[in-house]
């Protein structure tokens, strides 16, 4: 069992927790993730390592409440325990040798992007961050990004805060104005990442996208997280949990990934409603 | 006394009933039947059956004790050679192992060795009370990677010799394929849980949620003071066919399908983990894994389940009993057929239709068997122009697995062969000093009993190695 050491509500749908897991805390690098189960009958869900404190043996996670398991997780408090917590999984992001990088995050993807931006900043890379949210209420981690970015642009879809529009708008402007990046790193909804890749293509900037397919084991055993890449004109299958989650954006079949991501939509809606009803009854 | 020509029948749940539940199919010999079956054994002087068992259980001896109604004695004989009799008695492919060598089998049906082994083990589990004695510690520490049959056996044998053993398991439950792969109706989870509990009583420290190669590396295990490591990480990496449509929604690897059902308990009524239920399901492959996936699909509520296999009934590699059970339950065997493409739904009017991308069918081609290959198996060859459509909603690929590269990739100097199997000598020693390996991680997907045997061999070698230290 793994103790929840602290809990902080970042916004109405995003929560941050620190979990006691010393082995993971010692090992995890930016870009890696963990898999947890809240209870004996629970689902295994992947969440990115949003920071570690190796001395205290804690791992930070930031999650958005989107369905049954994240709802159950959000009902846990500091001092409660998680049934399982395994990691670090996946390959750490490759950040060495980069002089100037643009980090593009969308929604809760910003939580996944943050440790990467921080690591880049810490190694002396010049970081330009573009973070986007649907509206002002959903904004998270602005201060954290401010602290680790040489330049920060905040966008909201509806214009309720900062600048209105998609993250691709300022990205295109910068690229068109001749700004150079060694790499664009994008993390967020699949549709957003697809458009980030499209925006970068005419300029030939390398794009790395962090993929979040549905996972179970996270060790390469089930193949459920597979995605199709096109490498040198040939289609190849890769497992996001062991080969990723970072992939070359230009090679990813985003349409297929979006379709696979919706496999259990009906089931998930039921599970979410069930979890919500359960907590309503309990209250 | 006249010889009874046939094995005593194994009582089973009625096929129509069991096809809709997850309770064990075969319910086990009642005591009197076991005694009668044991009496069929001729107690042959040359003991051919023993040679057929990969761990050389003293088969005639334990069977004689059952005939004499000394059931606990029979169990003790078995447990000299096997640590998992309740498992192997249920899942061993007896017809190609011990029972294939049985003298009685020349003229009649062989003795039901597996069934008797299961009986003795179940009897012991029901009646034995005394908890295992904890041996005196010898001061040496050994780490075991993976909690499948090879790891559990190696850990148990070493613990009995006084080693302090830690087992590291990547998943949240110990047991390997026995818990995530083989379904409840064939091997109840409680049997595996009992084996793990017995190990813990012996003082073995079982740590779940530790992925070796990620959470800790093999080198770090040595740094932490373990003096030898046994790698029993299995062959869990699923193969796909590489045909179009394999990433459609509703196409699963057998590992994913079975893991969702077994380990994640989708087979129970109210789990959180989703799985596709109902509809028509095609399972591609002909081994035990394929049978398990097909029968699981049926029990989850599928209206029709096909096994699509490219060779004929004769080559079907699954245990005979599972094939028979599957047929009784109504699984539709489409032999000498091979998939060439999986098709999905696409609404031409509405790209946002949620049904888009779900499987609607599988295009197959008929096969015929050509000349035997180097291994003597007749090679299937496609019959030109024989393509046809199978109308299905889900496809499960059960066409084999390979060893996971995670440990190889993170352990310098650990040599593997071209299939990814860890290279070992006859003692189970790898190319790294103090690192031993066995089971599917070495051989590729094989059997429970061979994995267990490899765990035993390695435990003996590790003991010899550390005793010189
Ligand atoms: C490598 C990786 C890292 C991730 N890191 C984070 C993170 O740091 N913070 C965070 O909030 N989320 C993260 N996710 C997504 C997170 O795993 C899902 O939100 C979670 O599994 C949803 O579980 P649920 O039961 O609450 O919702 P469900 O009921 O299972 O799903 C609800 C909605 O979430 C979508 N969804 C389901 N599973 C996933 C998934 N694996 N990835 C993305 N969307 C999914 C569904 O399509 C559905 O729309 C990550 C996913 C991966 C694969
Ligand atoms: C569906 C199915 C049905 C089968 N039916 C039969 C049958 O009827 N009869 C029969 O004899 N055989 C059967 N087999 C084969 C048999 O189960 C295997 O040969 C046997 O389990 C192999 O044992 P093992 O100890 O080598 O590995 P496994 O049982 O595969 O166990 C390996 C364990 O190691 C863990 N692991 C892997 N990597 C790591 C890591 N890096 N760190 C920590 N832990 C790790 C895995 O999670 C797993 O728990 C079947 C297999 C399957 C999949
Ligand atoms: S372990 Fe398997 S092969 Fe050996 S006697 Fe038992 S059933 Fe037969
Ligand atoms: S070969 Fe058959 S009959 Fe002979 S001892 Fe073995 S089990 Fe008994
Ligand atoms: S999550 Fe199972 S293989 Fe990646």
């Amino acid at each position: 069992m793994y103790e929840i050491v602290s809990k902080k509500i970042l916004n109405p749908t995003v929560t941050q927790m620190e979990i006691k897991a010393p082995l993971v805390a010692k090992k995890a690098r930016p870009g890696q993730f963990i898999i947890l189960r809240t209870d004996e009958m629970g689902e295994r869900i992947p969440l990115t390592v949003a920071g570690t404190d190796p001395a205290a043996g804690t791992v930070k996670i930031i999650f958005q409440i989107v369905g049954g398991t994240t709802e159950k997780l959000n009902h846990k408090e500091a001092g409660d325990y998680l049934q399982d917590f395994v990691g670090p999984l996946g390959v750490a992001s490759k950040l060495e040798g980069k002089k100037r990088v643009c980090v593009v995050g969308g929604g809760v993807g910003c939580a996944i992007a943050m440790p990467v931006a921080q690591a880049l900043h810490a190694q002396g890379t010049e970081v330009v961050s573009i973070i986007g949210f649907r509206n002002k209420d959903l904004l998270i981690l602005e201060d954290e990004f401010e602290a680790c970015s040489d330049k920060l642009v905040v966008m909201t879809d509806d214009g309720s805060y900062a600048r209105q529009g998609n993250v691709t708008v300022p990205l295109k402007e910068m690229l068109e104005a001749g700004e150079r990046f060694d790499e664009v790193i994008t993390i967020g909804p699949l549709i957003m990442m697809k458009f980030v890749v499209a925006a970068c293509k005419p300029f030939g900037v390398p794009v790395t996208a962090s993929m979040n397919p549905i996972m179970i084991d996270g060790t390469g055993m089930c193949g459920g997280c597979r995605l199709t890449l096109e490498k040198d004109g040939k289609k190849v299958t890769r497992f996001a949990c062991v080969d990723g989650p970072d992939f070359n954006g230009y090679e990813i079949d985003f349409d297929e990934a979006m379709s696979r991501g919706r496999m259990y939509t009906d089931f998930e809606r039921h599970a979410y409603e069930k979890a919500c009803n359960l907590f309503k009854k309990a209250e | 006394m006249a010889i009874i020509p046939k094995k005593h029948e194994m009582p089973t749940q009625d096929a129509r009933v069991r096809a809709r539940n997850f309770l064990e199919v075969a319910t086990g010999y009642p005591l009197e039947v076991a005694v009668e079956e044991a009496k069929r054994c001729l107690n042959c002087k040359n003991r051919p059956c023993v040679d057929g068992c990969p761990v050389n259980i003293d088969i005639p001896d334990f069977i004689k004790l059952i005939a004499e109604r000394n059931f606990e004695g029979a169990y003790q004989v078995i447990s000299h050679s096997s640590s998992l009799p309740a498992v192997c008695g249920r899942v061993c492919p007896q017809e190609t192992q011990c029972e294939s060598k049985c003298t009685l089998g020349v003229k009649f049906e062989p003795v039901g060795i597996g069934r008797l082994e299961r009986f003795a083990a179940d009897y012991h589990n029901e009646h034995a009370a005394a908890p295992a004695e904890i041996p005196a510690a010898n001061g040496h520490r050994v780490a075991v990677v993976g909690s499948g049959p090879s790891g559990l056996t190696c850990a148990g044998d070493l613990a009995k010799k006084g080693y302090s053993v830690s087992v590291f398991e990547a998943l949240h439950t110990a047991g390997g394929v026995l818990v995530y792969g083989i379904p409840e109706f064939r091997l109840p989870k409680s049997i595996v849980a009992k084996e793990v509990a017995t190990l813990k009583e012996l003082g073995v420290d079982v740590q779940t949620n530790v992925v070796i190669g990620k959470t800790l590396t093999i080198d770090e295990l040595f740094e932490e003071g373990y003096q030898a490591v046994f790698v029993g990480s299995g062959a869990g990496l699923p193969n796909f066919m590489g045909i179009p449509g394999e990433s459609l929604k509703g196409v699963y690897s057998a590992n994913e399908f079975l893991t969702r059902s077994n380990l994640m308990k989708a087979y129970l009524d109210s789990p959180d983990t989703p799985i596709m239920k109902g509809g028509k399901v095609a399972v591609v492959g002909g081994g035990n894994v394929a049978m398990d996936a097909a029968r699981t699909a049926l029990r989850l509520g599928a209206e029709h389940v096909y096994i699509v296999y490219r060779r004929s009934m004769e080559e079907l590699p699954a245990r005979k009993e599972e094939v028979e059970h599957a047929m009784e339950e109504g699984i539709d065997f489409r032999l000498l057929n091979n998939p060439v493409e999986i098709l999905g739904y696409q609404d031409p009017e509405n790209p946002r239709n949620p049904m888009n991308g779900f499987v609607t069918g599988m295009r197959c081609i008929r096969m015929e068997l050509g000349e035997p290959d180097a291994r003597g198996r007749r090679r299937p060859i496609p019959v030109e122009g024989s393509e046809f459509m199978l109308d299905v909603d889900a496809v499960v690929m059960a066409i084999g697995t390979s060893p996971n590269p995670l440990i190889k990739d993170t352990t310098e100097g650990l040599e593997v062969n071209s299939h990814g199997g860890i290279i070992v000598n006859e003692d189970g020693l790898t190319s790294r000093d103090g690192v031993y390996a066995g089971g599917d991680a070495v051989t590729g997907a094989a059997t429970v009993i061979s994995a267990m045997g490899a765990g035993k061999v390695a435990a003996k070698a590790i003991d010899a190695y550390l005793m010189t230290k």
Side-chain angles (χ1 to χ4, degrees):
Chain A
M1 301 282 271
Y2 303 80
E3 191 187 353
I4 300 170
V5 183
S6 76
K7 176 180 177 183
K8 188 171 152 195
I9 313 261
L10 298 188
N11 77 29
T13 66
V14 179
T15 302
Q16 172 180 309
M17 283 179 178
E18 282 176 302
I19 315 294
K20 184 108 184 163
L23 291 177
V24 185
K26 216 163 106 185
K27 265 297 168 63
R29 296 287 168 270
Q32 291 190 295
F33 63 96
I34 57 89
I35 284 185
L36 61 78
R37 275 199 323 161
T38 53
D39 57 279
E40 188 45 49
M41 295 303 285
E43 192 179 5
R44 292 171 69 96
I45 64 158
L47 295 172
T48 303
V49 173
T52 56
D53 184 341
T58 58
V59 177
K60 192 191 288 174
I61 52 173
I62 297 176
F63 59 93
Q64 179 165 33
I65 301 140
V66 293
T69 306
T70 41
E71 173 76 21
K72 276 202 272 185
L73 183 58
N74 195 44
H75 273 78
K76 300 239 175 212
E77 300 300 334
D80 289 348
Y81 287 83
L82 300 178
Q83 181 75 30
D84 297 293
F85 193 87
V86 56
L89 301 169
V91 182
S93 303
K94 294 185 183 57
L95 308 174
E96 312 85 47
K98 307 223 153 68
K99 291 204 181 56
R100 192 162 193 267
V101 170
C102 182
V103 177
V104 185
V108 76
C110 296
I112 308 179
M114 186 188 64
V116 175
Q118 285 170 336
L120 285 165
H121 180 71
Q123 69 177 22
T125 302
E126 186 181 341
V127 179
V128 176
S129 299
I130 305 173
I131 57 176
F133 303 90
R134 282 214 306 279
N135 59 50
K136 179 172 187 265
D137 293 338
L138 299 178
L139 177 80
I140 50 168
L141 304 172
E142 189 185 12
D143 296 342
E144 284 82 349
F145 269 98
E146 189 69 65
C148 66
S149 310
D150 296 273
K151 182 161 128 192
L152 171 67
V153 183
V154 182
M155 306 291 293
T156 51
D157 290 0
D158 64 356
S160 54
Y161 182 76
R163 204 176 146 188
Q164 194 248 321
N166 292 323
V167 288
T168 43
V169 175
L171 177 64
K172 268 191 198 147
E173 285 170 4
M174 290 180 204
L175 290 168
E176 275 161 10
E179 288 199 36
R180 294 252 181 275
F181 301 110
D182 294 328
E183 188 178 17
V184 171
I185 298 176
T186 180
I187 306 177
L190 288 164
I191 189 78
M192 179 199 96
M193 296 197 282
K194 182 182 171 180
F195 282 113
V196 168
V197 171
C200 292
K201 198 162 187 187
F203 301 91
V205 198
V207 185
T208 297
S210 178
M211 300 298 283
N212 296 339
I214 295 171
M215 294 186 176
I216 307 179
D217 57 299
T219 66
M221 183 269 277
C222 74
C225 63
R226 65 189 181 275
L227 39 93
T228 303
L229 304 183
E230 194 166 319
K231 276 190 181 294
D232 309 320
K234 267 219 287 276
K235 283 187 190 297
V236 296
T237 299
R238 289 287 181 271
F239 295 173
C241 67
V242 284
D243 302 318
D246 291 354
F247 292 95
N248 176 346
Y250 294 112
E251 295 178 345
I252 300 167
D253 183 340
F254 281 104
D255 294 332
E256 178 190 287
M258 282 188 257
S259 174
R260 283 185 66 76
R262 288 190 294 262
M263 181 152 171
Y264 297 108
T265 310
D266 263 357
F267 186 98
E268 284 154 353
R269 209 178 38 242
H270 290 260
Y272 183 49
E273 283 162 7
K274 211 173 78 190
C276 291
N277 288 337
L278 208 69
F279 290 118
K280 262 189 218 129
K281 262 189 228 145
E283 270 159 22
Chain B
M1 200 174 68
I3 289 171
I4 304 170
K6 285 187 175 266
K7 280 189 220 181
H8 285 82
E9 268 196 46
M10 177 61 112
T12 51
Q13 278 192 71
D14 179 77
R16 265 166 316 175
V17 176
R18 72 178 190 239
R20 297 293 169 192
N21 71 42
F22 277 91
L23 301 177
E24 199 169 10
V25 167
T27 48
Y29 276 163
L31 196 143
E32 290 310 321
V33 177
V35 172
E36 285 310 306
E37 180 64 22
K39 284 184 184 160
R40 288 180 70 227
C41 173
L42 307 172
N43 224 319
C44 308
K45 282 252 148 39
N46 57 344
R47 303 155 73 90
C49 48
V50 178
D51 293 332
C53 169
V55 297
N56 304 118
I57 290 177
D58 290 320
I59 296 168
D61 303 352
F62 94 76
I63 293 185
K64 186 154 178 278
L65 288 167
I66 293 181
E68 292 166 1
R69 294 174 179 269
N70 180 353
F71 307 124
E72 183 56 29
Y75 173 81
Q76 292 305 334
V77 169
I78 301 169
S79 66
H80 279 306
S81 321
S82 166
S83 355
L84 301 169
V87 177
C88 294
R90 285 174 167 81
V91 306
C92 253
Q94 288 95 6
E95 68 271 16
T96 61
Q97 299 185 343
C98 52
E99 293 180 19
S100 75
K101 298 279 166 65
C102 174
T103 313
L104 212 54
V106 178
K107 269 196 168 156
F108 309 107
E109 279 190 7
V111 176
I113 302 171
R115 294 172 183 180
L116 290 173
E117 181 177 335
R118 167 182 169 169
F119 169 79
D122 287 355
Y123 182 91
H124 169 81
N125 283 345
E126 238 173 77
H127 296 89
E133 252 175 68
I134 300 185
N138 70 6
H140 292 288
R141 293 174 72 204
V142 179
V144 169
V145 181
S147 62
S150 67
L152 293 180
T153 303
C154 187
D157 280 14
L158 287 170
K160 284 182 202 145
K161 292 196 167 95
Y163 288 87
S164 147
V165 185
S166 302
V167 177
F168 297 98
E169 168 56 49
L171 296 171
H172 58 253
T173 310
V177 167
L178 309 182
V179 297
Y180 80 71
I182 304 181
E184 178 79 12
F185 59 82
R186 208 147 71 76
L187 178 64
K189 304 277 163 289
S190 55
I191 289 175
V192 185
K194 177 139 201 325
E195 297 297 343
V196 175
T198 309
L199 274 193
K200 287 185 180 162
E201 278 173 28
L202 274 172
V204 174
D205 161 43
V206 180
Q207 296 195 25
T208 50
N209 296 327
V210 179
V211 185
I212 299 301
K214 288 285 175 190
T215 319
L216 289 167
T217 62
I218 298 223
D219 291 297
E220 285 166 334
L221 291 175
F222 283 107
E223 282 163 29
E224 293 210 349
Y226 293 99
Q227 296 159 297
V229 177
F230 174 76
V231 181
S233 52
L237 194 72
N239 299 338
F240 287 93
M241 291 187 77
I243 57 174
E246 257 179 320
S247 287
L248 289 165
K249 290 180 279 189
V251 183
Y252 293 93
S253 77
N255 271 1
E256 179 181 357
F257 191 69
L258 290 168
T259 299
R260 281 181 183 276
S261 178
N262 295 326
L263 181 72
M264 303 311 298
K265 309 189 180 99
Y267 76 90
L268 299 176
D269 257 352
S270 59
D272 287 354
T273 294
I275 194 163
M276 283 187 67
K277 301 181 176 183
K280 300 192 193 73
V281 181
V283 177
V284 181
N288 286 322
V289 185
M291 299 305 136
D292 284 347
R295 297 167 72 198
T296 295
L298 194 67
R299 284 161 172 76
L300 286 170
E303 50 188 81
H304 198 92
V305 183
Y306 301 99
I307 287 273
V308 176
Y309 178 59
R310 64 198 178 121
R311 298 178 205 250
S312 70
M313 193 50 109
E314 229 168 279
E315 289 81 7
L316 214 63
R319 282 183 85 216
K320 205 165 130 248
E321 192 180 51
E322 309 312 328
V323 178
E324 286 166 8
H325 283 165
M327 286 182 153
E328 288 163 17
E329 288 163 16
I331 305 286
D332 187 351
F333 282 71
R334 296 299 176 99
L335 304 173
L336 288 165
N337 283 170
N338 208 28
V340 288
E341 181 181 6
I342 303 167
L343 298 135
Y345 186 77
Q346 207 56 52
D347 185 344
E349 310 276 295
N350 178 9
R352 299 178 146 266
N353 186 328
M355 286 313 296
N356 286 346
F358 273 101
V359 172
T360 56
M362 186 160 82
R363 208 152 52 82
C364 301
I365 189 161
R366 283 185 224 295
M367 311 292 274
E368 57 188 14
L369 292 178
E371 294 302 307
D373 61 14
R375 283 165 59 206
R377 289 222 298 181
R378 293 177 64 191
R379 214 156 50 90
I381 306 164
V383 180
E384 226 171 286
S386 68
E387 292 191 6
F388 66 99
M389 277 292 297
L390 212 53
D391 174 19
V392 292
D393 309 288
V395 175
V396 182
M397 289 291 171
I399 53 164
T401 53
S402 350
N404 192 315
L406 200 57
I407 290 182
K408 174 206 78 176
D409 291 346
T410 52
T411 312
E412 214 170 307
L414 188 72
E415 281 169 26
V416 302
N417 62 27
S418 59
H419 303 288
I422 301 173
I423 298 173
V424 296
N425 70 9
E426 64 281 0
D427 286 338
L429 179 65
T430 68
S431 53
R432 280 278 307 262
D433 207 28
V435 180
Y436 294 75
D440 284 6
V442 166
T443 56
T447 58
V448 172
I449 186 73
S450 54
M452 210 200 79
K456 276 193 124 37
V457 168
K460 219 167 143 188
I462 290 172
D463 180 40
Y465 167 69
L466 290 181
M467 281 304 130
T468 64
K469 281 215 154 182

